[in-house]
Structure formats: C-alpha cells, structure tokens
Amino acid sequence: MNRKTSFLFLAVLLLQAAVAHAQSLKDALNDKYKNQILALRSPLTKGDRKFDSAGHSLSIAKSSGWLLYGGISVKKIDLSPDTLRVEGDGATSYLEKRIGKVIVMPFGKARNIEIHLDQPLNSVDEADAIMDRIFFLGPDAVDHIRPEFRRADDNTPDSEISKVSQRGFSHASANTAGSNGNDDKVLPPRPTYTPVPDFSAQARHAKFQGTVVLGILIDKAGKISRIRLDRPVGMGLDESAMESVKQWRFSPATRNGEPVAVAMSIEVGFNLY
C-alpha cells in the first residue's frame, strides 16, 4: 500500500469515526430532550427561529404590538457539523391536582429552532451549554413554559405591580373581587370593555365547553400588558381566550387615589347554550 493510498484509507476511517460520533451524539440528545417542553428565552415568532452558538438571534423579527413567550414540545433533534436543529410543536403543561399528574397541552403551531454552530459538537455537555443560551434549562425552567403574551412596549417593573383577587369571569360579566390582605388599600380595576371570545371551530364541532384560567397584568392606564395561560383546556379555546383578552379595557386600579399596575387571575368561560 503506497503512501497516497494509506492517506486516503486513514481519511476514510476518520470520516467514518466522525459520522459515527455525530450519530451517537444525536441519539444521546434525542434521548435527553425528546418529548420534553423547552421554553425559549426570547419571543416565539412565525416560522423557524435561527441563532448562533452564543445564543444571539439570526432571525429578523417583525415589529408587532405583542410578543409571545412560551415553550415547544421537542419531537426531534437533528445534528450536523454546523447546525443543531430542534423540531417541535407549541405546547404547555400544568399540574392537575385532582390526579396529581402533569398534563401536556398543545398551544399554537409547530416551532423549529436552528442553532448555527461555530464548530462541530464533541459532547452532550457542549450541546447543553449552547442550548442553555437559547432555552431555559435550569431549575426555574418550569416557570417559563406557560405561554405568555406581552406588549412590546411593556416596561412595568415587577416591584411596582400589586396583586388583587378576581372572581370567575363569564361571557356575561367581568366582576372584580376586593383586594387581598397584602394590598388592602388597592381598589381593583373596573372592566369597561370585555368582548366575548369566539368558540373555536374544533370546540364547537365537538360541543366542548371549558374554563380557561389566565393571569393578566393591567397597567396604570387600564390596558392589558401581559396575558399568561395558567390553566389551559385545549381545543383552540386557550388561543381564543388570550386573543380576546388582548382587547379588554379597564379603568385602572388605584391606591390612595393614584393609578397602579396590578396582576390578577381571571377565568374565561366557554359555554354552549
């Protein structure tokens, strides 16, 4: 075997070893992340999201009045020398206390995330480090899975948000309850415009009813600034409830006569009559 043939033979062996290692790493990543819900650190957008290895977005985000945050349920991870691709569906989860089980629910459309690599990955730890720049992977990850709409111009500091309690909301009313003991001087906001959400075609066809629980932030001007899905029911009703609540208006909450931002929980009921 001459020197040239030996070099080619060695190159083939090295290539085969690299391919086998990449396949092994891909399998390990799928074993670790498949069927897990991963929440992005940045807003979800239409179409694929693209990032570099440092976690910086390579996608051009279109300006919008609302930004959507949330998670995806991983269906598959693909790996090549220059790209790590996470494919999944929009999803959320919640703890069903009656049965003590975490329930996974679909929310929104399929989501694909492409991470452009500076160099081929050598280990799961390297992949984890890059993934952690784009997804919440730490102990607080569960706090970011729930879908949340935020106004693009929302800049309300958490330290300035009071909390008030709220009775259930139905199509016919949006009554507010009194403030809680921690903010006993806060007068809750009063609804001035609460359009009825539409039944989704899927829910109507199935004659499905349910109550969606949302956490909302009402700013000092009485506008909804954040809408978080705390308890979904599925069948497209969660998306319908959140889209409708975007349009709601209130007279703002007040403390000692001054408007304040407040967070509250509301129930949006869907009932067939």
Side-chain angles (χ1 to χ4, degrees), residues 231-247:
R231 184 182 175 86
V233 296
M235 290 279 187
L237 297 181
D238 307 316
E239 294 90 336
S240 179
M242 296 178 82
E243 287 295 330
S244 178
V245 170
K246 284 181 184 179
Q247 306 172 54

Side-chain angles (χ1 to χ4, degrees), residues 18-19 29 38 52 61 65 69 75 80 90 104 111 137 151 170 174 185 195 213 236 252:
V19 171
L29 290 172
L38 301 181
D52 62 20
Y69 294 83
K75 293 170 56 180
S80 68
V104 175
R111 308 282 183 178
L137 300 183
R151 283 191 179 275
S170 69
K185 294 183 180 179
V213 179

Side-chain angles (χ1 to χ4, degrees), residues 1-224:
M1 184 180 294
N2 59 38
R3 185 173 300 176
K4 183 177 181 181
T5 302
S6 298
F7 177 79
L8 291 174
F9 180 69
L10 178 60
V12 170
L13 288 179
L14 291 174
L15 178 61
Q16 289 177 338
V19 171
H21 175 72
Q23 183 61 48
S24 175
L25 181 54
K26 173 184 171 181
D27 291 343
L29 290 172
N30 275 283
D31 288 343
K32 182 171 186 177
Y33 289 110
K34 188 175 180 180
N35 296 326
Q36 298 294 315
I37 300 180
L38 301 181
L40 264 77
R41 295 182 179 273
S42 56
L44 296 161
T45 60
K46 293 181 180 179
D48 292 358
R49 287 296 311 272
K50 298 181 180 181
F51 298 87
D52 62 20
S53 295
H56 300 135
S57 176
L58 301 176
S59 304
I60 300 176
K62 296 182 180 179
S63 59
S64 171
W66 291 89
L67 302 175
L68 174 62
Y69 294 83
I72 63 173
S73 178
V74 179
K75 293 170 56 180
K76 182 174 68 172
I77 290 182
D78 276 330
L79 180 64
S80 68
D82 60 359
T83 304
L84 175 63
R85 182 177 174 87
V86 181
E87 299 181 10
D89 296 316
T92 185
S93 66
Y94 72 97
L95 175 63
E96 178 53 78
K97 296 181 180 179
R98 292 177 301 174
I99 59 176
K101 183 178 179 181
V102 174
I103 306 297
V104 175
M105 300 284 287
F107 183 91
K109 300 179 180 179
R111 308 282 183 178
N112 298 322
I113 309 299
E114 283 189 3
I115 306 170
H116 292 244
L117 305 172
D118 297 331
Q119 58 188 16
L121 295 176
N122 293 312
S123 68
V124 172
D125 287 343
E126 284 187 9
D128 288 344
I130 292 174
M131 294 269 284
D132 191 47
R133 296 166 193 157
I134 296 162
F135 300 98
F136 290 99
L137 300 183
D140 63 341
V142 67
D143 297 330
H144 301 277
I145 288 174
R146 291 175 293 181
E148 181 175 26
F149 281 107
R150 291 195 175 204
R151 283 191 179 275
D153 59 356
D154 172 43
N155 57 5
T156 306
D158 289 345
S159 60
E160 295 182 7
I161 301 173
S162 300
K163 293 183 179 180
V164 296
S165 59
Q166 166 77 22
R167 290 201 296 266
F169 169 78
S170 69
H171 288 170
S173 65
N175 297 318
T176 55
S179 58
N180 60 24
N182 295 327
D183 291 294
D184 56 358
K185 294 183 180 179
V186 175
L187 296 179
R190 297 291 179 183
T192 59
Y193 179 64
T194 55
V196 176
D198 295 326
F199 257 86
S200 66
Q202 183 183 10
R204 189 175 296 279
H205 178 75
K207 297 183 179 180
F208 179 81
Q209 303 181 105
T211 299
V212 181
V213 179
L214 304 175
I216 62 174
L217 173 66
I218 302 170
D219 66 17
K220 293 180 180 180
K223 294 191 303 182
I224 302 287

